[in-house]
Amino acid sequence: MDPLSSLLSGIRAEGSVVSRAVLTAPWTIRFVDDAPLVMISVLRGAGTLLLPDGTERAVGPGDTALVRGGVPFHLADHSATVHDSPALYELSCFTAGPECSDQELAGIHWDNEADEATALIVGAYRASGHRHQRLLRALPPVLVVEEDTDVCAWFETVAVDAARHSAGSQALMDRLLDWALVCTLRSWFDQAGADAPGWYRGLADPVLAPALQSFHDRPAEAWTVASLAARAGVSRALFAKRFTRLMGRPPLAYVTECRMDEAEALLSDTDLGIAHIARSVGYADAFGFSAAFKRHKGMSPSRFRAVSAAAAATGPGSAVSGRGDMAVRAQR
């Protein structure tokens, strides 16, 4: 599995879509949820994202924005509207309680004939363990990717159909959002250049890509610089030099880092035994794995597992359960 697929493997939309989101100016939506990742696709119209640090990003038709964090932010038809809007809509994505409903409100609805309005699709993603955290660390606080407007027209047609709540409509919308997330991230990584994660730049390099793909396909093998260079079809010295320059670390340092990241995810998100995890990430026995893990992470695997379990039990994500509908409340 390639690194991006691995990072996205545990991230799923689940009941998290605003099914009625066509707004006529002036309007403001305040996102108050603690969802670690929010995706906003502008199907028609335009708006301005305003983050707590003062960052403003314009979004227009065909744009998809990903906002990282768990802090309140605003989306408005114009930045000045945040303070002056007669209609402020407060949106929380994974709220438990009676207000968590899919209710139609004045000014928020689906209406394909309202061409002057702004039409949005909003998805929020739950925290999904350490793989999710690794993805979030690779992203800026906010990114905006321009998509094909023809795709948006198709996207809106499907969303309108899902809003009718026919059989399977929620599952359809959730998978549609997952598809949109993957496409958006791939587009952004392609455009990010030097700001893209090292593993993504490496997969685009004709020399490093075969070696990286081989390692990620079979991480448990006893990889060496020589065996990786053989996969790339170049000398050991050339491979090590090119890898270090492009990836920012030597080949075996990258191998160890990936193995330890995967071990973190397995220790946190599964009940697999230490010996099983050791073999899964390329160590012959639990003793060698435990020593390497402690050098890399500063604590033993068993200690790390206990700390992660305690954090999950007391952290903000521990209370999230159930459908996770988006609640939209009108503030007047």
Side-chain angles (χ1 to χ4, degrees):
M1 185 182 294
D2 67 85
L4 181 57
S5 295
S6 177
L7 290 175
L8 291 171
S9 62
I11 299 175
R12 294 287 185 271
E14 183 180 344
S16 52
V17 57
V18 176
S19 58
R20 296 175 177 87
V22 176
L23 304 106
T24 303
W27 55 266
T28 297
I29 300 176
R30 182 172 184 261
F31 293 76
V32 297
D33 188 76
D34 62 354
L37 188 65
V38 176
M39 183 175 69
I40 302 166
S41 293
V42 182
L43 306 177
R44 291 182 284 123
T48 300
L49 278 167
L50 298 99
L51 274 60
D53 64 0
T55 298
E56 295 187 13
R57 293 292 302 272
V59 289
D63 287 348
T64 293
L66 290 177
V67 183
R68 190 195 71 197
V71 294
F73 65 95
H74 291 83
L75 176 66
D77 64 298
H78 189 275
S79 57
T81 306
V82 171
H83 305 292
D84 303 328
S85 176
L88 170 66
Y89 302 98
E90 193 169 272
L91 186 151
S92 40
C93 311
F94 294 123
T95 304
E99 76 280 7
C100 189
S101 60
D102 188 17
Q103 52 186 309
E104 184 167 1
L105 302 169
I108 299 187
H109 56 281
W110 278 109
D111 181 359
N112 279 331
E113 296 180 1
D115 293 331
E116 76 285 357
T118 295
L120 307 171
I121 294 289
V122 182
Y125 292 82
R126 300 172 184 266
S128 303
H130 277 72
R131 285 189 179 88
H132 198 160
Q133 295 305 317
R134 285 155 56 192
L135 172 62
L136 295 179
R137 289 197 297 269
L139 300 179
V142 60
L143 64 89
V144 178
V145 174
E146 184 177 348
E147 305 286 0
D148 190 329
T149 53
D150 290 338
V151 173
C152 287
W154 171 78
F155 198 176
E156 182 170 13
T157 299
V158 176
V160 171
D161 180 68
R164 300 190 181 105
H165 299 289
S166 56
S169 60
Q170 185 62 66
L172 172 65
M173 183 57 67
D174 288 345
R175 299 295 73 80
L176 189 63
L177 288 170
D178 290 336
W179 170 81
L181 177 65
V182 173
C183 292
T184 298
L185 288 174
R186 288 184 62 182
S187 296
W188 183 77
F189 284 145
D190 284 341
Q191 299 168 15
D195 293 329
W199 49 261
Y200 195 86
R201 299 196 305 272
L203 287 170
D205 182 80
V207 174
L208 301 187
L212 285 169
Q213 192 64 60
S214 296
F215 163 66
H216 285 288
D217 284 344
R218 300 182 300 279
E221 285 192 17
W223 292 104
T224 64
V225 176
S227 62
L228 289 168
R231 291 290 180 181
V234 297
S235 70
R236 181 180 181 278
L238 190 154
F239 178 79
K241 181 178 180 180
R242 188 182 185 96
F243 193 103
T244 303
R245 176 174 58 81
L246 188 62
M247 304 288 284
R249 59 184 71 78
L252 294 188
Y254 174 83
V255 167
T256 299
E257 181 180 307
C258 290
R259 286 173 168 169
M260 294 299 105
D261 283 344
E262 180 64 16
E264 275 193 2
L266 293 173
L267 287 165
S268 301
D269 305 336
T270 75
D271 295 324
L272 295 174
I274 303 299
H276 186 118
I277 292 174
R279 292 191 298 272
S280 297
V281 298
Y283 290 84
D285 56 65
F287 299 105
F289 165 67
S290 295
F293 190 91
K294 189 169 184 178
R295 284 195 305 271
H296 197 75
K297 300 297 183 182
M299 65 181 75
S300 68
S302 56
R303 174 63 179 161
F304 178 86
R305 172 169 272 171
V307 170
S308 295
T314 59
S318 61
V320 174
S321 61
R323 283 188 65 242
D325 292 330
M326 263 186 187
V328 185
R329 298 186 295 277
Q331 311 289 312
R332 295 292 181 183

